[in-house]
Amino acid sequence: MSGFENFWAIYGNLVLTLGTNALLALSIWLTLACGMLAMANAAFMGIGAYAAALLTMNYDAPFTVALAGGMAAPALVAALIGLPTLRLSGVYLAMATLGFGEVVRVTILNTESITGGALGLNGIPQLTQWWHVVLAVVIVLFVLWRVRASKIGRSFDAIRGDETAAGLMGIDVRANKMLAFVAGAMIAGLAGALNAHLTFFIGPNEYGFDRGVEILTMAILGGIGGLAGPVLGSFIITVLPELLRGFADLRLVANGVILVVIVLFLPQGIWDPARFKRWMRQGQGGQGGKRHA
């Protein structure tokens, strides 16, 4: 067995998990970019995972159809719950979406005949290949990059800056918020569908409060100033537990300390283009001063 094959046999699932976590971080980045602190992404991931898994297990649906179903189901739910909840903002929106996540978890637990209840779904066919994950991440990054540079992206920035002022300028705040919310749900559902067909098993506890906080941490840690931030944050949050595995019981403590230090000293996240520009200007100013001297 070659070195690469040996590495892939040991860390293949971890590498693919990096891709699905990047999708999750990008899904919440989209809502944060529109000024919404929505915490329903873990629930949308669960809806997508169960929808896709049920399509392949019960109906022998092709993988592409299962992925489409895993994106369509949370998008439809997001459109339905978005009508009342997107009237809220800030911590009230976060509380409402957290409550929705708990409703989803309890619903999964109490529909044993469909979802397997607390035992979850076992024997999901392992259909996710490495190129599925890579292609999904590349497509999502490209679409979000194009959206960010478009009129829609500028509307998102305006709403995040001042929702009232954006409305006075003629921007349809409700429609843009709904678009970001539904699109974020679709991306989270795609991540759930890919992950379900990677791990053989899914259960309701995988999509609870802890996962929701983890998804938010990925985006905040990496920084929401650009698309590279959520991807970087997802990489750190996914790899850090593996790097700290030798600390045994102190691993979670060390993980928390590292995150607190980064947040204290880098409040805009690790990837902050504005900070990089300031450093460049300071460096150029210092060089200019030396030349003048």
Side-chain angles (χ1 to χ4, degrees), residues 273-288:
R275 183 173 65 247
F276 297 153
K277 291 179 181 178
R278 287 196 301 270
W279 288 350
M280 292 179 63
R281 285 197 296 267
Q282 291 172 359
Q284 292 172 355
Q287 293 176 1

mmCIF file of all heavy atoms in Angstrom, residues 273-288:
data_model
loop_
_atom_site.group_PDB
_atom_site.id
_atom_site.type_symbol
_atom_site.label_atom_id
_atom_site.label_comp_id
_atom_site.label_asym_id
_atom_site.label_seq_id
_atom_site.Cartn_x
_atom_site.Cartn_y
_atom_site.Cartn_z
ATOM 1 N N PRO A 273 -9.873 40.812 5.689
ATOM 2 C CA PRO A 273 -9.218 41.588 4.629
ATOM 3 C C PRO A 273 -8.899 43.018 5.032
ATOM 4 O O PRO A 273 -7.862 43.565 4.634
ATOM 5 C CB PRO A 273 -10.246 41.544 3.489
ATOM 6 C CG PRO A 273 -11.049 40.309 3.738
ATOM 7 C CD PRO A 273 -11.115 40.183 5.222
ATOM 8 N N ALA A 274 -9.769 43.643 5.824
ATOM 9 C CA ALA A 274 -9.512 45.025 6.252
ATOM 10 C C ALA A 274 -8.246 45.105 7.093
ATOM 11 O O ALA A 274 -7.456 46.047 6.966
ATOM 12 C CB ALA A 274 -10.705 45.553 7.035
ATOM 13 N N ARG A 275 -8.047 44.117 7.959
ATOM 14 C CA ARG A 275 -6.838 44.111 8.782
ATOM 15 C C ARG A 275 -5.603 43.903 7.920
ATOM 16 O O ARG A 275 -4.567 44.537 8.143
ATOM 17 C CB ARG A 275 -6.931 43.005 9.833
ATOM 18 C CG ARG A 275 -5.740 42.978 10.796
ATOM 19 C CD ARG A 275 -5.919 41.995 11.933
ATOM 20 N NE ARG A 275 -5.959 40.630 11.455
ATOM 21 C CZ ARG A 275 -7.022 39.834 11.502
ATOM 22 N NH1 ARG A 275 -8.153 40.294 12.017
ATOM 23 N NH2 ARG A 275 -6.984 38.602 11.056
ATOM 24 N N PHE A 276 -5.700 43.025 6.927
ATOM 25 C CA PHE A 276 -4.563 42.789 6.036
ATOM 26 C C PHE A 276 -4.194 44.065 5.275
ATOM 27 O O PHE A 276 -3.008 44.372 5.094
ATOM 28 C CB PHE A 276 -4.888 41.666 5.052
ATOM 29 C CG PHE A 276 -5.148 40.331 5.719
ATOM 30 C CD1 PHE A 276 -5.952 39.387 5.123
ATOM 31 C CD2 PHE A 276 -4.570 40.032 6.951
ATOM 32 C CE1 PHE A 276 -6.190 38.172 5.729
ATOM 33 C CE2 PHE A 276 -4.802 38.817 7.571
ATOM 34 C CZ PHE A 276 -5.618 37.884 6.963
ATOM 35 N N LYS A 277 -5.209 44.817 4.830
ATOM 36 C CA LYS A 277 -4.943 46.064 4.110
ATOM 37 C C LYS A 277 -4.254 47.081 5.008
ATOM 38 O O LYS A 277 -3.363 47.814 4.571
ATOM 39 C CB LYS A 277 -6.252 46.635 3.556
ATOM 40 C CG LYS A 277 -6.865 45.813 2.423
ATOM 41 C CD LYS A 277 -8.165 46.431 1.952
ATOM 42 C CE LYS A 277 -8.789 45.598 0.825
ATOM 43 N NZ LYS A 277 -10.098 46.155 0.386
ATOM 44 N N ARG A 278 -4.683 47.143 6.275
ATOM 45 C CA ARG A 278 -4.033 48.079 7.215
ATOM 46 C C ARG A 278 -2.573 47.707 7.401
ATOM 47 O O ARG A 278 -1.699 48.578 7.440
ATOM 48 C CB ARG A 278 -4.762 48.060 8.564
ATOM 49 C CG ARG A 278 -6.118 48.745 8.554
ATOM 50 C CD ARG A 278 -6.588 49.041 9.964
ATOM 51 N NE ARG A 278 -6.691 47.821 10.764
ATOM 52 C CZ ARG A 278 -7.798 47.078 10.849
ATOM 53 N NH1 ARG A 278 -8.890 47.444 10.168
ATOM 54 N NH2 ARG A 278 -7.835 46.007 11.600
ATOM 55 N N TRP A 279 -2.295 46.414 7.525
ATOM 56 C CA TRP A 279 -0.913 45.969 7.688
ATOM 57 C C TRP A 279 -0.087 46.340 6.462
ATOM 58 O O TRP A 279 1.059 46.761 6.587
ATOM 59 C CB TRP A 279 -0.880 44.462 7.916
ATOM 60 C CG TRP A 279 -1.369 44.042 9.267
ATOM 61 C CD1 TRP A 279 -1.646 44.850 10.333
ATOM 62 C CD2 TRP A 279 -1.642 42.704 9.692
ATOM 63 N NE1 TRP A 279 -2.086 44.107 11.403
ATOM 64 C CE2 TRP A 279 -2.094 42.786 11.039
ATOM 65 C CE3 TRP A 279 -1.569 41.460 9.093
ATOM 66 C CZ2 TRP A 279 -2.439 41.655 11.765
ATOM 67 C CZ3 TRP A 279 -1.908 40.334 9.817
ATOM 68 C CH2 TRP A 279 -2.349 40.432 11.138
ATOM 69 N N MET A 280 -0.678 46.177 5.268
ATOM 70 C CA MET A 280 0.050 46.509 4.044
ATOM 71 C C MET A 280 0.346 48.000 3.968
ATOM 72 O O MET A 280 1.443 48.419 3.598
ATOM 73 C CB MET A 280 -0.749 46.052 2.823
ATOM 74 C CG MET A 280 -0.855 44.544 2.666
ATOM 75 S SD MET A 280 -1.834 44.052 1.248
ATOM 76 C CE MET A 280 -0.852 44.724 -0.091
ATOM 77 N N ARG A 281 -0.662 48.819 4.340
ATOM 78 C CA ARG A 281 -0.450 50.273 4.317
ATOM 79 C C ARG A 281 0.621 50.683 5.323
ATOM 80 O O ARG A 281 1.453 51.546 5.043
ATOM 81 C CB ARG A 281 -1.757 51.005 4.610
ATOM 82 C CG ARG A 281 -2.740 51.008 3.445
ATOM 83 C CD ARG A 281 -3.788 52.083 3.648
ATOM 84 N NE ARG A 281 -4.592 51.820 4.825
ATOM 85 C CZ ARG A 281 -5.741 51.156 4.812
ATOM 86 N NH1 ARG A 281 -6.212 50.676 3.672
ATOM 87 N NH2 ARG A 281 -6.424 50.976 5.922
ATOM 88 N N GLN A 282 0.596 50.057 6.507
ATOM 89 C CA GLN A 282 1.598 50.375 7.517
ATOM 90 C C GLN A 282 2.988 49.974 7.039
ATOM 91 O O GLN A 282 3.962 50.695 7.258
ATOM 92 C CB GLN A 282 1.266 49.663 8.832
ATOM 93 C CG GLN A 282 0.023 50.220 9.518
ATOM 94 C CD GLN A 282 -0.401 49.393 10.715
ATOM 95 O OE1 GLN A 282 0.223 48.383 11.040
ATOM 96 N NE2 GLN A 282 -1.476 49.809 11.375
ATOM 97 N N GLY A 283 3.067 48.805 6.387
ATOM 98 C CA GLY A 283 4.347 48.359 5.862
ATOM 99 C C GLY A 283 4.864 49.279 4.768
ATOM 100 O O GLY A 283 6.042 49.637 4.740
ATOM 101 N N GLN A 284 3.963 49.701 3.877
ATOM 102 C CA GLN A 284 4.366 50.611 2.812
ATOM 103 C C GLN A 284 4.752 51.966 3.383
ATOM 104 O O GLN A 284 5.695 52.610 2.925
ATOM 105 C CB GLN A 284 3.237 50.766 1.798
ATOM 106 C CG GLN A 284 2.959 49.502 1.002
ATOM 107 C CD GLN A 284 1.717 49.628 0.141
ATOM 108 O OE1 GLN A 284 1.006 50.623 0.212
ATOM 109 N NE2 GLN A 284 1.454 48.606 -0.659
ATOM 110 N N GLY A 285 4.024 52.413 4.428
ATOM 111 C CA GLY A 285 4.359 53.689 5.055
ATOM 112 C C GLY A 285 5.724 53.644 5.714
ATOM 113 O O GLY A 285 6.506 54.597 5.628
ATOM 114 N N GLY A 286 6.031 52.510 6.371
ATOM 115 C CA GLY A 286 7.338 52.376 6.995
ATOM 116 C C GLY A 286 8.459 52.377 5.981
ATOM 117 O O GLY A 286 9.508 53.015 6.152
ATOM 118 N N GLN A 287 8.253 51.675 4.857
ATOM 119 C CA GLN A 287 9.260 51.655 3.812
ATOM 120 C C GLN A 287 9.449 53.039 3.188
ATOM 121 O O GLN A 287 10.569 53.462 2.898
ATOM 122 C CB GLN A 287 8.879 50.635 2.737
ATOM 123 C CG GLN A 287 8.908 49.190 3.229
ATOM 124 C CD GLN A 287 8.422 48.221 2.172
ATOM 125 O OE1 GLN A 287 8.072 48.616 1.059
ATOM 126 N NE2 GLN A 287 8.409 46.947 2.526
ATOM 127 N N GLY A 288 8.315 53.755 3.015
ATOM 128 C CA GLY A 288 8.395 55.101 2.455
ATOM 129 C C GLY A 288 9.176 56.038 3.366
ATOM 130 O O GLY A 288 9.960 56.875 2.925
#
